[in-house]
Amino acid sequence: MKAITDRLSQFPLELIFWIGSIVAILTIDPSVSNHFTLCPLENLGFDWCPGCGLGRSMNLLARGEFQASWSMHPLAMLAYVVIFSRIWNLIKNLKTTHNYG
């Protein structure tokens, strides 16, 4: 267990967060009406939020259901581009900032 935690401590926390968020998005079930949410606006009782449905839309897009994804939230593709570009930049910076020798 110590070896795993030592290995994970070498990675930036942000990189672990973004990879975990992609895994979480791919494992949610978009057809469930009641789901766990971290949305502060929904938890405060607001009916509308600009990001509501984005995670479910990204899941639908990954499954190839493009029209359902677009109708759920039209910015799912942009969210994938932003998240994957951030992961790419973090990995690229990880390779240049660590001394491997």
Side-chain angles (χ1 to χ4, degrees):
M1 187 66 175
K2 175 112 172 86
I4 294 172
T5 57
D6 288 342
R7 186 77 171 147
L8 283 178
S9 68
Q10 294 176 354
F11 293 104
L13 184 60
E14 184 183 0
L15 179 62
I16 295 168
F17 172 79
W18 286 123
I19 291 172
S21 68
I22 291 294
V23 170
I25 285 170
L26 295 176
T27 59
I28 63 172
D29 185 8
S31 62
V32 175
S33 61
N34 285 339
H35 57 86
F36 174 74
T37 182
L38 294 173
C39 177
L41 294 177
E42 187 173 329
N43 288 332
L44 289 172
F46 290 97
D47 291 334
W48 183 82
C49 170
C52 278
L54 185 59
R56 291 175 285 170
S57 177
M58 291 173 72
N59 182 281
L60 289 168
L61 189 62
R63 294 175 185 222
E65 300 177 30
F66 302 111
Q67 188 167 2
S69 171
W70 182 266
S71 66
M72 181 84 61
H73 201 290
L75 297 177
M77 180 58 76
L78 179 63
Y80 269 125
V81 169
V82 168
I83 291 172
F84 280 119
S85 68
R86 187 62 190 148
I87 289 172
W88 178 261
N89 284 332
L90 286 168
I91 291 172
K92 188 170 61 171
N93 289 340
L94 182 70
K95 288 181 177 181
T96 60
T97 57
H98 282 63
N99 185 2
Y100 289 112

